[in-house]
Amino acid sequence: MSIRAENLWFTYNDAPVLRGIDLFADTGEHIGITGMSGCGKSTLLKLMAGLYRAQDGAVEVHGARRPEDIRKNVAMVMQNAVLFPASIRENITCGHQMSEENLRQVCEAAQLTEWIASLPDGIDSFVGERGGKVSGGQAQRIAIARAIAKNAPVILLDEATSALDSDTGSAVLAALESLTRGKTVVSVSHRHETLAGCSRIYKLDGGRLYEL
């Protein structure tokens, strides 16, 4: 079992957002979660990413139970990619050592190669404050490259393509396909059609999960 979430309860300001959630995923399985905006989908992902602690219940990801250990096993791509005010290279490697060949392969998998080749400073180009010097699609592909480089066994996708136009979205989707191949994936979207490739799809409503 790659992901095991049992009886998860989470409350914001005394209002329960998640009510006894159970979710299990086998290694390599792709799970989809849909639901209205604000229903708690992102909260559930953050619990599985080790970013939040549940008020009750347990999360185990790839054998890890402590949040700091869970985080080592998870790569997360969110709707609005968070970039550091640094170079493309530094945003992908996060300061870790990586060979030029590995970096080249990561950029190719994330559909970044052609764009990087067009930049005067290439992969050492500065992305600006909060990624202000790159487009939304480019920022998203840099974030995907970072996730590919981490090579985590579990991938969590939080509305990863919802803010992109169709042309940019197709390149990001190709990058996501490289990222998720052979991994355990939980993908959240308010659009049911974007979860068509999942083996199981759940709706989060009223703090509870219902399989569709």
Side-chain angles (χ1 to χ4, degrees):
M1 190 73 65
S2 186
I3 298 173
R4 183 189 300 273
E6 296 181 289
N7 193 35
L8 292 185
W9 286 79
F10 194 88
T11 300
Y12 280 126
N13 298 323
D14 297 325
V17 176
L18 303 178
R19 300 168 179 263
I21 295 288
D22 292 321
L23 182 67
F24 307 95
D26 290 324
T27 301
E29 192 173 11
H30 289 209
I31 304 296
I33 300 174
T34 188
M36 300 291 288
S37 294
C39 72
K41 301 186 303 295
S42 295
T43 298
L44 179 55
L45 275 198
K46 287 173 181 174
L47 286 167
M48 289 190 286
L51 299 176
Y52 288 177
R53 283 184 182 271
Q55 274 91 23
D56 198 6
V59 177
E60 182 178 299
V61 178
H62 213 64
R65 283 182 168 264
R66 297 189 306 168
E68 57 268 33
D69 295 327
I70 289 174
R71 290 194 289 270
K72 296 173 185 175
N73 292 323
V74 169
M76 192 170 183
V77 179
M78 306 182 73
Q79 177 178 349
N80 298 308
V82 177
L83 298 185
F84 312 118
S87 67
I88 298 169
R89 178 193 301 274
E90 290 165 318
N91 269 280
I92 294 172
T93 65
C94 294
H96 300 299
Q97 290 295 319
M98 184 180 296
S99 71
E100 291 298 316
E101 176 59 18
N102 282 350
L103 193 55
R104 183 192 66 77
Q105 291 173 356
V106 164
C107 290
E108 191 170 307
Q111 307 284 305
L112 286 169
T113 305
E114 188 175 332
W115 170 60
I116 287 174
S118 73
L119 300 173
D121 294 323
I123 199 165
D124 294 307
S125 299
F126 181 58
V127 302
E129 294 292 330
R130 298 184 179 179
K133 290 191 173 184
V134 301
S135 71
Q138 289 157 353
Q140 198 72 324
R141 280 178 280 162
I142 292 170
I144 292 168
R146 180 194 299 157
I148 293 172
K150 186 175 182 181
N151 196 28
V154 175
I155 308 297
L156 304 178
L157 305 176
D158 190 2
E159 304 279 10
T161 61
S162 64
L164 305 173
D165 59 55
S166 58
D167 291 337
T168 306
S170 62
V172 172
L173 283 172
L176 284 171
E177 185 178 348
S178 293
L179 168 63
T180 58
R181 194 175 296 123
K183 309 289 189 179
T184 305
V185 181
V186 179
S187 183
V188 154
S189 177
H190 66 277
R191 296 182 298 176
H192 189 278
E193 62 272 17
T194 65
L195 305 174
C198 296
S199 59
R200 283 182 285 135
I201 300 176
Y202 294 88
K203 182 177 182 180
L204 184 57
D205 186 30
R208 301 186 184 279
L209 277 182
Y210 302 91
E211 187 166 359
L212 298 177

